[in-house]
């Protein structure tokens, strides 16, 4: 309220410039200003005393808080102990009640009803009329917690998995050389090669022209017959299965299919013929000491506009899965081929680092030195890449 007076008679507010109240006409009441309060400056001794008093008050507050904490912990411990004692007492009473009930049944031959508190006649406490105490709630929580050793064990297993997986990924990409992985995969590679050398050739696809009698005793092949002596294919990349009948069926001898001219027709290990170019060729089938010949006629005209430098495929596919191979010894070699192009198609092979691995015009890769490089195959405008990793064991100094 600025520049306003209050009438002592009616309580009306009016400006200080007026000499009377406009409502009741009472004279304005002039209030004298209060005398200024004289403030006294405190001395240095009083200031020190105030600091001492403040420190003592803070120390007393800390002591009081500590004592309250001690009393609270003691009270919680006492409540937990009482709850544990109460549970023990309930278990004891329950055992005594069961023992008394059993003894009563043995003596009278009838069952005696037993309450939670004990023998019949003693009222059981109504636990639905009160809420569980704090110590009972804490006891339930403690029983439902996961053991700490299980959490620690799970964390260690997760950490070990991450470490092993990370180091293997770095070794696989060639960013880290680890002797333990080199030795491990070298032994696995050697075992796989030995197993592949000792294994007998097996057919990858079943022959649909005959049925196998699982109860028949298998014997060497005594007779071999074609279901079709001649197969005619009327367009490029057409496939057809060579039908065979053997005596006995089945036989212990494996069937071997060989094409006389793969530039005209190719044949798989299971006898599936694929046309490549116009012409006539012969596929020889051998089973033990028996052999027959199947005439293959590719009766279609070659496309004069087709370029031999390009192929009609969306993507070039290598004979190695994931386009990745690993050598463990210097001088190791293997042949890299593209499986989804016609036989005889020229492929330009090249190696990005010939100090690690070399490749010739026929796709023969040879390991040279430790490291990781990439070989590239190009057919027309299409290319395919394959990672080559050389992890040789370190030479031991004499």
């Amino acid at each position: 309220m600025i520049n306003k007076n209050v009438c002592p008679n009616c309580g009306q507010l009016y400006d200080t410039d007026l000499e009377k109240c406009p409502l009741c006409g009472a004279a304005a009441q002039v209030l004298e200003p209060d005398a200024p309060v004289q403030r006294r400056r405190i001395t240095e001794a009083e200031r020190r005393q105030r600091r001492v008093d403040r420190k003592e008050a803070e120390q007393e507050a800390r002591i009081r808080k500590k004592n309250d904490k001690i009393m609270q912990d003691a009270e919680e411990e006492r409540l937990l102990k009482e709850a544990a004692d109460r549970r023990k007492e309930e278990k004891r009473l329950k055992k005594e009640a069961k023992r008394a009930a059993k003894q009563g049944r043995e003596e009278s031959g009838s069952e005696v009803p037993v309450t939670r508190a004990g023998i019949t006649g003693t009222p059981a406490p109504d636990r639905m009329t009160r809420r569980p105490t704090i110590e009972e709630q804490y006891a339930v929580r403690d029983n439902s917690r996961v053991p700490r050793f299980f959490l620690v064990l799970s964390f260690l297993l997760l950490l070990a998995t991450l470490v092993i997986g990370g180091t293997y990924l770095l070794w696989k990409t060639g960013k880290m050389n680890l002797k333990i992985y080199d030795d491990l995969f070298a032994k696995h590679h050697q075992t796989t090669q030995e197993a592949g050398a000792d294994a007998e050739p097996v057919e990858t696809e079943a022959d649909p022209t005959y049925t196998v009698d699982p109860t028949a005793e298998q014997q060497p092949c005594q007779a071999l017959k074609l279901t079709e002596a001649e197969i005619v294919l009327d367009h490029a990349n057409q496939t057809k299965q060579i039908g065979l009948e053997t005596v006995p069926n089945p036989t212990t001898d494996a069937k071997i299919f060989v094409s006389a001219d793969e530039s005209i027709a190719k044949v798989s290990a299971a006898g599936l013929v694929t046309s490549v170019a116009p012409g006539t060729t012969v596929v020889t089938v051998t089973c033990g000491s028996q052999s027959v010949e199947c005439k293959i006629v590719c009766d279609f005209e070659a496309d004069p506009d087709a370029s031999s430098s390009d192929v009609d495929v969306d993507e070039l596919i290598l004979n190695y899965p994931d386009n990745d191979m690993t050598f463990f010894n210097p001088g190791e070699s293997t042949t890299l081929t593209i499986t989804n192009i016609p036989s005889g198609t020229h492929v330009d092979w090249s190696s990005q680092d010939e100090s690690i691995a070399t490749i010739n015009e026929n796709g023969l890769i040879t390991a040279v030195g430790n490291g990781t490089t990439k070989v590239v195959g190009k057919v027309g405008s299409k290319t395919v890449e394959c990672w080559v990793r050389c992890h040789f064991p370190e030479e031991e100094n004499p």
Side-chain angles (χ1 to χ4, degrees):
M1 184 174 60
I2 303 174
N3 298 329
K4 295 290 185 179
N5 284 341
V6 179
C7 180
N9 294 331
C10 61
Q12 176 69 21
L13 294 177
Y14 58 92
D15 295 336
T16 55
D17 297 337
L18 300 178
E19 297 179 354
K20 296 181 180 181
C21 176
L23 184 61
C24 63
Q29 191 176 28
V30 180
L31 300 177
E32 296 181 358
D34 297 336
V37 179
Q38 297 293 334
R39 299 185 63 182
R40 184 179 62 84
R41 296 179 61 87
I42 62 175
T43 62
E44 185 63 27
E46 291 176 342
R47 187 177 291 109
R48 287 197 297 269
Q49 184 62 34
R50 287 185 181 181
R51 286 198 294 267
V52 172
D53 294 342
R54 185 168 57 252
K55 290 182 180 179
E56 291 179 354
E58 292 176 354
Q59 185 176 3
E60 289 179 359
R62 287 195 297 268
I63 294 174
R64 190 182 308 108
K65 185 176 180 181
K66 185 176 180 180
N67 293 335
D68 293 342
K69 179 65 176 175
I70 294 173
M71 293 179 64
Q72 184 179 0
D73 294 342
E75 182 66 18
E76 290 181 359
E77 184 177 359
R78 183 186 64 81
L79 293 175
L80 292 174
K81 185 176 180 181
E82 289 181 357
D85 294 341
R86 186 163 55 252
R87 287 194 296 271
K88 290 181 180 179
E89 183 65 19
E90 288 179 357
K91 290 181 180 179
R92 186 184 65 80
L93 293 175
K94 189 174 181 180
K95 289 182 180 179
E96 290 181 357
K98 288 183 178 180
R99 192 182 303 113
K102 183 177 180 180
Q103 184 178 0
R105 286 196 299 270
E106 292 177 354
E107 292 178 355
S108 61
S110 61
E111 296 185 357
V112 178
V114 179
T115 63
R116 181 178 176 85
I119 307 175
T120 305
T122 304
D126 187 3
R127 311 208 36 107
M128 300 299 294
T129 58
R130 68 178 184 87
R131 296 178 62 183
T133 58
I134 296 178
E135 61 272 13
E136 291 176 350
Q137 295 178 9
Y138 277 116
V140 173
R141 292 178 185 174
D142 292 339
N143 293 333
S144 62
R145 287 180 180 174
V146 180
R148 182 175 298 176
F149 77 93
F150 181 76
L151 297 176
V152 174
L153 181 61
S154 302
F155 174 75
L156 293 177
L157 289 176
L158 178 60
L159 183 62
T161 304
L162 293 176
V163 171
I164 295 174
T167 54
Y168 174 76
L169 183 61
L170 293 175
W171 175 82
K172 188 70 175 177
T173 55
K175 296 180 179 179
M176 179 183 293
N177 291 327
L178 295 175
K179 191 174 184 302
I180 182 172
Y181 285 125
D182 295 340
D183 296 342
L184 178 63
F185 284 93
K187 292 180 181 178
H188 174 71
H189 183 66
Q190 183 178 1
T191 305
T192 305
Q193 287 183 340
E194 293 176 356
D198 297 339
E200 296 182 357
V202 296
E203 299 183 35
T204 57
E205 298 181 7
D207 193 343
T209 60
Y210 63 88
T211 57
V212 178
D213 185 7
T215 60
E217 182 179 359
Q218 296 186 6
Q219 298 177 359
C221 182
Q222 301 175 3
L224 183 64
K225 181 181 178 182
L226 292 170
T227 58
E228 291 182 85
E230 180 177 331
I231 295 177
V232 179
L233 304 175
D234 56 6
H235 60 272
N237 294 325
Q238 184 181 358
T239 60
K240 191 169 183 180
Q241 179 70 37
I242 297 178
L244 291 175
E245 294 179 357
T246 61
V247 178
N249 184 16
T251 178
T252 56
D253 295 326
K255 295 182 284 294
I256 302 174
F257 301 84
V258 178
S259 175
D261 190 350
E262 291 191 347
S263 64
I264 297 176
K266 298 187 297 182
V267 63
S268 68
L272 187 66
V273 181
T274 305
S275 60
V276 178
T280 302
T281 187
V282 174
V283 173
T284 303
V285 186
T286 305
C287 182
S289 61
Q290 307 295 322
S291 64
V292 292
E293 292 183 351
C294 180
K295 185 178 179 181
I296 308 297
V297 179
C298 297
D299 188 11
F300 55 90
E301 295 182 359
D303 187 2
D305 297 331
S307 175
S308 61
S309 63
D310 206 348
V311 291
D312 187 15
V313 293
D314 295 333
E315 181 183 3
L316 302 179
I317 301 176
L318 296 176
N319 58 335
Y320 271 82
D322 301 330
N323 295 4
D324 197 314
M325 62 176 63
T326 304
F327 294 108
F328 296 95
N329 297 293
E332 264 191 271
S333 61
T334 186
T335 302
L336 196 64
T337 59
I338 300 176
T339 59
N340 61 335
I341 60 175
S343 176
T345 303
H346 179 69
V347 182
D348 292 328
W349 296 104
S350 61
S351 173
Q352 290 186 351
D353 191 346
E354 293 189 349
S355 64
I356 298 175
T358 60
I359 185 169
N360 63 9
E361 61 182 6
N362 297 322
L364 181 64
I365 301 177
T366 305
V368 178
N370 269 313
T372 301
T373 186
K374 187 189 296 182
V375 297
V376 180
K378 185 176 181 181
V379 180
S381 60
K382 297 180 175 62
T383 59
V384 63
E385 298 177 347
C386 180
W387 286 99
V388 180
R389 311 175 192 281
C390 297
H391 296 289
F392 302 155
E394 297 181 358
E395 296 182 0
E396 298 182 357
N397 296 325

